Amino acid sequence: MNLETPYLIFLGDAKDALAAKTGQGVVDWRPDAVIGQLRLPGCRADLGVADLSIQQATEAGARTFLIGVVNPGGVLPKQWQGVIVEALEAGMDVANGLHTPLDSIPEIAEAARRSDRRLLEARRSVGPFPVASGRKRTGKRLLTVGTDCSVGKKYAALAIERELTTRNITADFRATGQTGILVAGSGIPIDAVVADFAAGAAETLSPDNDPAHWDVVEGQGSLFHPSFAGVSLALLHGTQPDAFVVCHEPTRTTMRNVDVPIAGIDAVIKQTIALGRLTNPAVRCVGIALNTSGLDAERANQTIEQAHRQFGVPVCDPVRHGVEAIVDEMLA
């Protein structure tokens, strides 16, 4: 997928900031590519960039209308269709991270054909993929895992990849979700792969490599989430991680979109090791990444120190503090 920049990020009527995590991720990791945002009435998310109409954005040079919202099931709401048609008719491509294919909606497909613009699908699988073999591969791999979905697995992986590169260690961020793919420009939307082949897709994403090379794989969901545990397990078995980082949001009490208590960090560590040993007996936890955005600086530092004392591994907020200590542990 080759997206033309700059982007106008569409937030629709997102119900909260987490629903706009795709747009936020692009703003945070590719800020130079973003020209502004478009929000519908009732939108409760704000990326902190200019609010622009489609006309204003095209006059400023926008080339891609990027749908920056996620929702349960990845459904494209009917009330967004007219805005997408307007963007196409204004001369922009449309990049989509939802499960609903844009070309499955006749009005949008016709508008793209009429305006000769592209419909770009970040969640359309590019298989076929093989069934996982479990064969040990060369190179090193790190997987970010979570106590829940939307707790910072992508941010932690991107920060770790950047820190490794800064140290002149060869590394690649391996995207497995729509936001990561839109940031990295490549990857496999693991939740769009047929279940029997998901672990095989994860093997394909992290192939044989030089012995000192690190693939830093973006995790998805949680082994404890009733909706997404299958995807999480496929990534764990398929990537065969040598190391993993547990990602957690300490103010959350229930899992996203379900009435289930959030998993504990200790349970995630134990379960990841127990299940991960199927394909890599040496798998180990090298750190904990806390998303402390909901805490003030003092409380964040206290929470990080408490977790470090409890679990005995490096603990940090990748956004606030960086991931130097985690990378030190990876390389130890």
Side-chain angles (χ1 to χ4, degrees), residues 10-255:
F10 178 58
L11 298 185
D13 45 6
K15 65 178 183 178
D16 56 24
L18 269 181
K21 71 173 188 176
T22 294
Q24 190 66 63
V26 176
V27 167
D28 288 345
W29 293 96
R30 293 197 67 193
D32 294 343
V34 178
I35 203 168
Q37 64 185 6
L38 191 156
R39 299 185 287 172
L40 296 180
C43 181
R44 297 179 181 176
D46 186 351
L47 304 179
V49 296
D51 284 293
L52 300 176
S53 67
I54 287 176
Q55 180 178 347
Q56 290 170 330
T58 53
E59 289 175 353
R63 300 298 301 152
T64 300
F65 187 78
L66 192 154
I67 299 173
V69 189
V70 295
N71 56 39
V75 178
L76 183 75
K78 187 173 180 60
Q79 65 267 25
W80 295 1
Q81 295 178 17
V83 185
I84 294 171
V85 168
E86 184 182 352
L88 289 164
E89 292 177 340
M92 284 186 274
D93 295 334
V94 178
N96 177 35
L98 299 170
H99 280 299
T100 303
L102 294 171
D103 59 10
S104 70
I105 300 170
E107 294 83 359
I108 293 176
E110 173 58 24
R113 185 199 61 77
R114 189 170 60 247
S115 58
D116 194 26
R117 302 314 306 167
R118 298 182 299 163
L119 301 176
L120 304 166
E121 302 287 351
R123 244 173 175 164
R124 179 168 285 165
S125 182
V126 294
F129 298 106
V131 172
S133 69
R135 179 185 63 83
K136 181 63 178 173
R137 303 188 298 284
T138 56
K140 298 181 182 298
R141 291 161 193 85
L142 178 138
L143 176 67
T144 54
V145 302
T147 57
D148 191 9
C149 55
S150 303
V151 289
K153 295 182 288 293
K154 174 178 61 273
Y155 276 53
L158 283 163
I160 290 167
E161 185 262 352
R162 184 166 60 187
E163 177 64 22
L164 288 167
T165 302
T166 299
R167 300 188 190 195
N168 295 318
I169 296 168
T170 57
D172 286 297
F173 168 71
R174 301 299 190 182
T176 61
Q178 71 278 6
T179 306
I181 291 170
L182 293 171
V183 170
S186 63
I188 294 174
I190 201 72
D191 60 2
V193 178
V194 174
D196 274 2
F197 306 98
E203 289 185 350
T204 302
L205 184 69
S206 53
D208 284 303
N209 219 311
D210 294 335
H213 176 277
W214 280 92
D215 274 337
V216 183
V217 184
E218 173 194 13
Q220 296 293 328
S222 170
L223 290 172
F224 290 83
H225 198 294
S227 304
F228 310 119
V231 173
S232 307
L233 183 60
L235 280 172
L236 178 59
H237 285 161
T239 60
Q240 302 176 358
D242 301 279
F244 67 91
V245 171
V246 178
C247 302
H248 177 64
E249 205 279 77
T251 69
R252 201 177 298 180
T253 57
T254 59
M255 292 192 177

